[in-house]
Amino acid sequence: MEKEYMYTLGNMAEEGSISSRIGFGGTKSKMTGLSDQLEQVRNDLEDNFDRKLVYALVGMAGVGKTTLAEEIFEDPHILSIYEHRAWVTVGRKPQKITELSRGIIAQLTKGDEEMDVYFKEIIFDQKRCLIVLDDVWETKVLSSLIDSLASVKNIQILVTARERDIIENITSQRDGLNIMVVRFLNEKESKDLLCRKVFEDEICPSQLDKAATKIAKKCEGLPLMVVTVADILSKSHNRDPDYWDDVAEERNSVFVDAYNEMTKVFFPSYDYLPQYLKMPFLFMGVFPPDYDFPPSKLVNMFTAEGWFLHTNERRALEVSVWHCLEKLCFYKNLVLFNRKSISWHEKIEGLKYKTCRLHSTWRHVCRGEAWKNKFYHVLNRLVDASKRYVKGQRCLCLQNNILFGFKEFCKSVRLNCASTTRSLLFFGPYHQYPTPIDVGFRLLRELDALKLRFYTFPTEILTLVLLKYLALSCNGELPATISKLFNLRVLIIHPHMNIRRCGAPSYIPIQLWDMQELEHIEILGKNLVAPHHVVSLEMLSTLVGVNANTCTILDLSNRIPNIKKLGIQIELTPYDNHYDLSSCFSCISTLESLDTLKCSITNPVVSNSSIVAVTPSSLMFPRGLKKLHLSGMGFPWEYADVIGFLPFLQVLKLRSYAFQGSHWETQRESFLSLEFLLIEDSDLVHWIPRYGSFPKLSYLSMKHCYKLVQLHWPSISMLGKIELVDCNPLAWACASQVKPCPFTHLDVTASSYFDKKPVTHKLQSFGGLMPLEWEDLISSPVFIAEPKWSGSAYLFILSLIVLLGCVLKFYLIKGCLPKLGIQTWGRFAFEWMHRYL
């Protein structure tokens, strides 16, 4: 395979006219959108014109890297700074390095016959040079070009590339490196670009304005997509509102034609992927448009598919999936991530997200390539079940869930691919009326029918004994014969409606404990009991959504020894003994492998008095917890000290009066690893974090804390984002006074939904090293909380730190130090002061 790949790469056809660059502007107009990034690149090149620098613009194909570089290259102010410029398009199959170098030198010397004389003048007279290397695909080529220009001083190299790792793998250490990920356009920029391309100097007609907004939104912020659709609309010369409405609703072929046109630009990025990334990337195309799929769902589905066979346990599988996602998102710029769950700031190491998605253009590419390779086929119409489309397909993904209700469809599918199909996925809009599931696929391993409603459990599924993944929406009882699916690893059962008869609990059958291959159980709203005979699920790593009482948890903790994620709902009545509640956590604390715990009280009762009358020491949690979600407990705030001393806790979410009381003063040096904190629906009035607490907290979210009036945060904080939703206005006043640590940004957002129109206030601040406000610094808890030294000693140490910072900043400006060094030093110095001084 390696020899074949190298032969194909070496004999690759020339790209010809294929280009991802069509242009951002209209006729005689400037670039539309990305003005903020344009200004940032311009300022960076102006500030660092006297030092050697490699500045990289990376991003998805068609996002506007080349257009942005051209705008910089022709900028009048840049022309006044850099006396010599050169532009070279490298491409997938570049010329020899010597030829590229000659082309650069020829442009720098302006093609003069006395090239050597001019080149020596550039070298020895230190003329400032700007060189653009456009569309770089190989690290080796980029390193060679940079090395060939090593003799030129005061040179700035601007690189555009689709993949980030091409830039980061540059071996040369003598050059500064700055990477910018080119962002997508927002909705306003997309619409402006669309209208400029279609109507040129004219204004968009009012009768087309609404449709134009929808069309621009469907392009999902990708400039190449906007321009391609605009080009088709412009050539049609059709200004009929009905035609534009059809385009906006995708009732004609405009978007399909645009996707087909853009495939030529996008496909090389897929073709260059390593083999181990191609199959997971193609599989992401099965998910419907506008659907953000969680990485945990990928782990479960990959388990059923039998991928990553080199992994011996689920934890290793999760690591492999996260490694693939990290590569596809951060280094290859193919997958988009949403809603960060831990870290808000941009960093690669340890970054995890709740959901990810594909751009619609990539979804089109993935589905076309998957169909060619008989990997999977997406069905939306009856004609999609014809022999030409489904013959030999391994996976069927239905975007119209009622198709199995037609006999012709079932007959065609069963005849042409029943023996090869291993996965059946219903990913269309939710269908609330029962639809039959054809069980002619005897070798089926994966069945996802969460978007179908079943009144009772479909017992015909029990004949599919090879199933490893089963997901259903059903309000009926699970049959005891569920244990016939002895190969099942993932079982997901969601109710159609969360309504059940009072006094008639629904139980999970006891036979479930005999299914020893189960790794993931997600059954919402049903009671789980442990059997009398000694049995345990050794493979189970995730158990979420089940109801339990205090007695059940005592037995349950002994039967799931290797659980990593536990989510339970505890039903308490006003007559229950709350001592039993603390004993439940004592049992849960014995689960040594647990890293995520979600525990909520069903229908919590909030009272003015303290609910629990035991000591905080009776509340126990597993020491290895990384994520903790609590809801409805009603514990007094002093109980939070137990959570504060969990050494690895990174995420804490407290909802629905998880803790109760008006005053919370955290203990010294607590919550040392916490990065994300959410407090929602609380009666908290005064919150005073004491010295040394929350040193790593970067994201603070407080929602519906109507009584909160005092947020006494240290004057200098590691916080990066504070979010307030429907909180007391005094909380906004306190949050706006928080100052970030040096070289960090702080975003403070306050939103109110009391009125019909939501009101949002935003505040951004940057923590610079100089100047410092000494009065605020000295009055912060760093100095007033149990000082170990005298005030003179503190001032002396701070003076040394500031003096050292000035020296380092001086050398940074002179180009003797990398920019990252001063940032890292500043963060380390002030974090060290907060913790130890």
Side-chain angles (χ1 to χ4, degrees):
M1 290 175 64
E2 182 180 359
K3 292 180 180 178
E4 183 179 353
Y5 175 77
M6 296 304 296
Y7 175 81
T8 304
L9 195 65
N11 295 273
M12 187 188 308
E14 296 291 341
E15 293 185 30
S17 60
I18 297 177
S19 174
S20 63
R21 192 236 181 262
I22 299 182
F24 272 66
T27 304
K28 298 180 181 180
S29 62
K30 295 183 178 180
M31 184 181 70
T32 303
L34 304 182
S35 58
D36 54 334
Q37 292 195 322
L38 174 64
E39 186 68 23
Q40 182 177 342
V41 177
R42 183 192 293 119
N43 292 338
D44 289 342
L45 292 179
E46 290 177 7
D47 296 340
N48 298 282
F49 68 87
D50 58 346
R51 56 185 291 258
K52 185 172 287 190
L53 176 71
V54 176
Y55 203 104
L57 302 176
V58 299
M60 185 185 295
V63 80
K65 304 179 294 294
T66 301
T67 304
L68 189 59
E70 283 186 353
E71 197 75 14
I72 291 293
F73 192 74
E74 299 294 341
D75 184 82
H77 196 63
I78 295 295
L79 290 174
S80 64
I81 296 177
Y82 295 95
E83 301 164 346
H84 300 274
R85 298 174 304 134
W87 181 293
V88 174
T89 301
V90 180
R92 285 193 298 154
K93 191 177 181 180
Q95 303 176 18
K96 294 181 180 180
I97 301 300
T98 54
E99 296 178 0
L100 291 174
S101 300
R102 287 197 193 100
I104 294 174
I105 295 173
Q107 293 183 61
L108 294 178
T109 57
K110 302 177 183 179
D112 197 281
E113 295 180 356
E114 299 180 0
M115 184 180 299
D116 293 337
V117 177
Y118 278 93
F119 191 58
K120 289 179 181 178
E121 178 183 346
I122 294 173
I123 295 176
F124 294 109
D125 294 349
Q126 299 185 8
K127 301 292 185 179
R128 290 187 290 271
C129 304
L130 175 63
I131 299 176
V132 178
L133 305 178
D134 184 39
D135 197 23
V136 179
W137 286 77
E138 298 287 345
T139 301
K140 183 178 179 181
V141 174
L142 180 59
S143 298
S144 300
L145 285 173
I146 293 176
D147 292 340
S148 67
L149 301 169
S151 58
V152 182
K153 299 180 181 179
N154 295 329
I155 185 175
Q156 301 278 22
I157 300 177
L158 182 61
V159 182
T160 70
R162 298 186 182 186
E163 300 181 5
R164 185 188 187 110
D165 50 354
I166 292 174
I167 311 299
E168 291 188 343
N169 291 334
I170 298 176
T171 57
S172 177
Q173 299 295 328
R174 60 181 176 275
D175 302 301
L177 181 61
N178 198 338
I179 299 178
M180 172 185 285
V181 180
V182 181
R183 66 170 177 84
F184 288 85
L185 302 179
N186 57 40
E187 293 185 12
K188 183 181 182 305
E189 292 171 336
S190 298
K191 182 182 176 181
D192 291 343
L193 178 58
L194 178 75
C195 293
R196 282 178 181 272
K197 284 293 182 180
V198 176
F199 305 109
E200 296 182 351
D201 295 333
E202 300 178 12
I203 300 176
C204 177
S206 58
Q207 65 271 21
L208 301 180
D209 185 76
K210 188 175 181 179
T213 302
K214 288 184 178 180
I215 294 173
K217 185 176 181 180
K218 283 186 176 293
C219 294
E220 300 180 39
L222 188 67
L224 180 60
M225 183 72 184
V226 177
V227 172
T228 306
V229 172
D231 186 58
I232 298 174
L233 291 174
S234 179
K235 291 178 179 179
S236 70
H237 302 289
N238 194 334
R239 304 292 174 88
D240 185 4
D242 293 336
Y243 173 76
W244 279 63
D245 289 338
D246 290 341
V247 175
E249 300 299 332
E250 298 189 41
R251 290 193 292 261
N252 53 29
S253 63
V254 170
F255 272 93
V256 176
D257 294 341
Y259 290 143
N260 293 333
E261 179 68 23
M262 295 171 60
T263 297
K264 296 179 292 185
V265 176
F266 275 66
F267 185 78
S269 293
Y270 163 78
D271 204 27
Y272 259 64
L273 284 177
Q275 194 66 29
Y276 77 96
L277 290 178
K278 285 186 175 181
M279 188 165 59
F281 179 62
L282 285 184
F283 185 78
M284 296 178 191
V286 302
F287 296 106
D290 302 324
Y291 176 74
D292 296 333
F293 51 91
S296 58
K297 189 175 184 69
L298 289 179
V299 174
N300 293 330
M301 300 182 82
F302 290 172
T303 298
E305 293 287 348
W307 297 347
F308 301 99
L309 295 178
H310 62 282
T311 58
N312 297 322
E313 58 177 5
R314 186 177 179 86
R315 182 63 177 175
L317 174 62
E318 293 177 357
V319 172
S320 298
V321 172
W322 273 111
H323 173 72
C324 290
L325 289 174
E326 183 183 53
K327 280 285 186 182
L328 292 171
C329 174
F330 298 112
Y331 297 106
K332 306 299 182 182
N333 289 304
L334 300 179
V335 179
L336 308 176
F337 279 71
N338 288 340
R339 291 193 293 274
K340 304 170 188 179
S341 61
I342 296 180
S343 302
W344 73 272
H345 43 83
E346 294 182 2
K347 66 177 183 179
I348 302 301
E349 185 178 358
L351 189 63
K352 292 196 176 183
Y353 291 74
K354 281 188 175 180
T355 59
C356 45
R357 64 182 178 90
L358 285 184
H359 192 276
S360 57
T361 308
W362 270 123
R363 186 180 300 106
H364 180 81
V365 174
C366 288
R367 290 181 173 182
E369 190 66 17
W371 176 78
K372 291 178 184 178
N373 291 279
K374 296 189 181 301
F375 187 25
Y376 62 80
H377 176 50
V378 179
L379 301 101
N380 195 31
R381 302 166 299 170
L382 290 176
V383 70
D384 293 334
S386 60
K387 180 179 179 180
R388 174 195 171 193
Y389 293 111
V390 300
K391 182 67 175 178
Q393 291 292 342
R394 180 181 177 85
C395 171
L396 298 180
C397 176
L398 284 84
Q399 285 201 347
N400 190 344
N401 291 336
I402 65 173
L403 288 176
F404 269 108
F406 298 91
K407 292 182 179 180
E408 297 84 359
F409 180 88
C410 296
K411 181 179 179 181
S412 178
V413 169
R414 189 186 304 111
L415 180 65
N416 292 301
C417 62
S419 61
T420 58
T421 301
R422 300 293 183 269
S423 300
L424 187 59
L425 312 174
F426 293 85
F427 284 163
Y430 184 77
H431 195 65
Q432 62 178 339
Y433 300 106
T435 300
I437 293 181
D438 194 297
V439 294
F441 309 95
R442 296 297 180 181
L443 302 179
L444 207 63
R445 294 180 181 176
E446 185 176 12
L447 175 60
D448 192 324
L450 277 178
K451 294 299 183 70
L452 295 180
R453 178 191 178 184
F454 296 95
Y455 292 140
T456 59
F457 186 89
T459 55
E460 59 269 20
I461 292 178
L462 300 178
T463 61
L464 305 176
V465 295
L466 295 181
L467 271 183
K468 294 185 177 180
Y469 180 103
L470 176 60
L472 297 174
S473 290
C474 174
N475 271 96
E477 300 291 337
L478 291 180
T481 50
I482 187 71
S483 59
K484 289 183 178 180
L485 304 177
F486 53 87
N487 284 306
L488 207 61
R489 294 187 178 183
V490 178
L491 177 60
I492 302 174
I493 305 293
H494 288 184
H496 171 67
M497 298 180 68
N498 291 316
I499 299 177
R500 58 193 178 94
R501 186 180 302 172
C502 181
S506 177
Y507 288 94
I508 299 174
I510 208 74
Q511 289 78 9
L512 192 73
W513 292 92
D514 297 328
M515 304 169 67
Q516 293 296 307
E517 296 295 320
L518 279 174
E519 298 179 6
H520 180 101
I521 298 177
E522 184 177 335
I523 303 179
L524 305 184
K526 295 186 180 296
N527 291 24
L528 177 65
V529 294
H532 295 294
H533 58 287
V534 179
V535 63
S536 61
L537 297 177
E538 301 286 343
M539 302 288 291
L540 191 65
S541 64
T542 302
L543 175 62
V544 296
V546 297
N547 293 337
N549 53 41
T550 54
C551 297
T552 301
I553 296 176
L554 299 177
D555 297 331
L556 190 62
S557 59
N558 299 322
R559 311 299 178 90
I560 46 176
N562 298 314
I563 196 74
K564 293 181 174 62
K565 182 177 181 180
L566 178 62
I568 55 176
Q569 297 179 2
I570 302 177
E571 297 187 11
L572 286 180
T573 67
Y575 306 101
D576 286 334
N577 190 345
H578 287 83
Y579 284 94
D580 294 337
L581 182 58
S582 58
S583 64
C584 290
F585 288 104
S586 299
C587 295
I588 293 175
S589 66
T590 61
L591 301 173
E592 298 180 356
S593 59
L594 191 67
D595 58 26
T596 300
L597 174 62
K598 297 182 179 181
C599 187
S600 62
I601 301 296
T602 304
N603 300 323
V605 178
V606 180
S607 62
N608 294 326
S609 60
S610 178
I611 295 178
V612 184
V614 293
T615 59
S617 59
S618 62
L619 186 64
M620 302 174 64
F621 293 95
R623 183 175 175 80
L625 271 185
K626 295 181 180 178
K627 298 181 181 179
L628 177 60
H629 303 202
L630 297 177
S631 175
M633 305 299 170
F635 292 136
W637 278 109
E638 53 264 26
Y639 276 55
D641 297 337
V642 178
I643 302 174
F645 291 106
L646 294 175
F648 308 108
L649 189 66
Q650 298 175 343
V651 177
L652 176 61
K653 297 182 180 181
L654 307 175
R655 292 189 171 97
S656 301
Y657 291 84
F659 290 89
Q660 185 177 351
S662 62
H663 186 83
W664 182 25
E665 185 173 355
T666 58
Q667 293 292 318
R668 295 177 64 252
E669 298 184 353
S670 57
F671 298 96
L672 296 181
S673 300
L674 195 67
E675 299 181 12
F676 179 93
L677 174 61
L678 167 66
I679 301 177
E680 183 175 357
D681 294 322
S682 172
D683 60 349
L684 187 63
V685 179
H686 302 280
W687 180 18
I688 304 177
R690 294 188 64 190
Y691 156 71
S693 59
F694 303 99
K696 295 184 178 180
L697 187 65
S698 60
Y699 197 119
L700 172 63
S701 177
M702 305 195 72
K703 301 180 179 180
H704 314 302
C705 299
Y706 306 110
K707 298 182 179 181
L708 184 65
V709 297
Q710 183 181 14
L711 177 61
H712 187 73
W713 209 264
S715 297
I716 298 181
S717 171
M718 294 294 290
L719 277 170
K721 185 173 180 62
I722 300 178
E723 178 188 25
L724 303 175
V725 178
D726 286 345
C727 292
N728 195 305
L730 293 177
W732 161 258
C734 294
S736 60
Q737 296 177 4
V738 177
K739 297 181 181 179
C741 277
F743 307 105
T744 61
H745 288 273
L746 173 61
D747 296 328
V748 183
T749 303
S751 303
S752 176
Y753 297 90
F754 294 118
D755 299 327
K756 293 182 179 180
K757 186 177 181 180
V759 179
T760 301
H761 301 281
K762 294 183 179 181
L763 175 66
Q764 292 184 342
S765 57
F766 177 75
L769 184 60
M770 292 293 288
L772 289 173
E773 297 186 16
W774 290 91
E775 183 178 354
D776 291 342
L777 196 62
I778 297 174
S779 63
S780 68
V782 174
F783 294 93
I784 64 176
E786 301 182 15
K788 301 178 182 179
W789 301 337
S790 64
S792 301
Y794 278 107
L795 290 177
F796 175 73
I797 293 174
L798 279 177
S799 301
L800 290 179
I801 292 175
V802 173
L803 179 61
L804 180 59
C806 294
V807 174
L808 290 177
K809 189 173 183 180
F810 172 79
Y811 282 107
L812 173 64
I813 296 175
K814 290 296 183 181
C816 302
L817 294 172
K819 189 174 182 180
L820 181 61
I822 186 67
Q823 291 176 335
T824 305
W825 174 86
R827 291 194 185 98
F828 169 78
F830 276 82
E831 184 176 354
W832 179 79
M833 278 199 337
H834 269 279
R835 183 169 297 180
Y836 298 108
L837 297 189

